[in-house]
């Protein structure tokens, strides 16, 4: 027997989620605030609820995917006690505190709760390489594994605390934005010189690929709070970053990004951390008490 799934929210992502359940043969009911978005899904067999309460009736798993976690809490609130005994899977983004508040609302009406942090775009739903980080009770996760696994090839349970899945997602995005900003700054310098960025990428591939091998070392140093290193210490980074700032200035391209990095490294070196690994800079980002 396939679980009955209700999908609340039929935006770009919610429609992809409902489509994946229908393709997987799950009885699927749907609801959206603005009517008329379910036509394609109805053609595939979805049943449309006229209200949230109507849509969740009979569902084993209630997936909510709307504009954000606060909206998700409001939408679930419209189901009231009809959620009792069902599993709520909130796939709407938000902060860790907002997601924990949604979990608390679900708990108050007797629903099981999982948060899922989607790490792909809508066309990636159902792809073996797609990732969704889940957090919540292990028993709930295991009970609904088949339903969760339909959406992404990677669906790890990362914590019993729903807020932690949010942080996993933010950690991936934050790393991505740092990488992309650095890459686009480099691309601006390369194209300023008339170098094709694709040629650079092909030729620099071994050097760039080596960077991902760097992360496990940095992660271990942060976890152990041990930043001593025999090679590649902060004082050796300093002249390279100074060169990048001077090169950027001379070309008239943005200096804000490399100057930010220079500021972090120079401050650490001035503070006597010049012989430490780059991982020492985590202290700059930590909560100030
Ligand atoms: N799209 C992606 O590639 C992607 C990737 C990862 C994560 N996500 C996450 O998935 C969630 C949905 O994103 P999306 O891209 O599908 O957004 P979207 O296309 O803009 O759709 C937003 C959905 O939220 C509903 N909504 C907004 N305000 C509402 C309210 N006050 N009450 C009830 N429903 C409301 C909308 O209903 P109406 O139709 O009535 O406006 C619509 O169903 C977000 O948390 C987003 O961060 C999306």
């Amino acid at each position: 027997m396939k679980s009955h799934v209700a999908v609340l929210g039929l935006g770009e992502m919610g429609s992809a989620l409902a489509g994946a359940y229908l393709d997987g043969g799950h009885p699927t009911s749907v609801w959206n605030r603005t009517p008329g978005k379910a036509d394609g899904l109805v053609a595939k067999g979805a049943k449309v609820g006229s209200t949230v309460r109507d849509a969740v009736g009979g569902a084993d798993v209630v997936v909510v995917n709307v504009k954000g976690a606060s909206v998700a809490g409001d939408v679930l609130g419209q189901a009231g006690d009809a959620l009792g005994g069902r599993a709520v899977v909130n796939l709407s983004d938000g902060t860790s505190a907002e997601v924990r508040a949604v979990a608390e609302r679900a708990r108050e009406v007797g629903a099981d709760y999982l948060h899922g942090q989607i790490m792909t775009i809508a066309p990636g739903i159902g792809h073996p390489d797609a990732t969704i980080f889940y957090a919540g009770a292990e028993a709930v996760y295991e009970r609904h594994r088949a339903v969760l696994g339909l959406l992404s090839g990677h669906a790890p349970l990362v914590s019993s605390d729903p807020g932690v899945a949010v942080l996993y997602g933010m950690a991936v995005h934050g790393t991505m934005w740092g990488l992309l900003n650095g890459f686009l700054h480099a691309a601006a310098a390369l194209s300023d010189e008339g170098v094709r960025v694709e040629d650079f990428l092909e030729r620099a591939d071994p050097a760039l690929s080596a960077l991902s091998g760097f992360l496990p070392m940095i992660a271990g140093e942060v976890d152990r709070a041990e930043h001593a290193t025999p090679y590649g210490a902060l004082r050796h980074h300093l002249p390279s970053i100074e060169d990048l700032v001077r090169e950027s200035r001379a070309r008239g391209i943005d200096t804000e990004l490399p100057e930010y990095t220079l500021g972090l490294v120079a401050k650490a070196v001035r503070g006597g951390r010049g012989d430490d690994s780059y991982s020492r800079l985590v202290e700059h980002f930590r909560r100030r008490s």
Side-chain angles (χ1 to χ4, degrees), residues 52-107:
V52 172
R53 210 178 160 86
D54 183 26
V56 307
D60 304 296
V61 177
V62 177
V63 171
V64 56
N65 180 260
V66 286
K67 192 179 168 65
S70 299
V71 175
D74 294 343
V75 167
L76 292 170
Q78 294 173 38
D81 60 5
L83 288 178
R86 308 183 200 283
V88 169
V89 180
N90 176 20
L91 298 177
S92 316
D93 293 353
T95 67
S96 56
E98 287 164 356
V99 162
R100 287 182 184 122
V102 182
E104 180 57 21
R105 279 178 90 151
R107 196 192 60 75

Side-chain angles (χ1 to χ4, degrees), residues 9-14 31-34 37 65-68 71 75 91-93 118 120-122:
L10 299 176
E12 184 175 289
M13 182 54 80
W31 172 88
N32 193 64
R33 176 183 62 171
T34 307
K37 290 204 176 168
N65 180 260
V66 286
K67 192 179 168 65
V71 175
V75 167
L91 298 177
S92 316
D93 293 353
I118 302 175
T120 183
I121 54 175

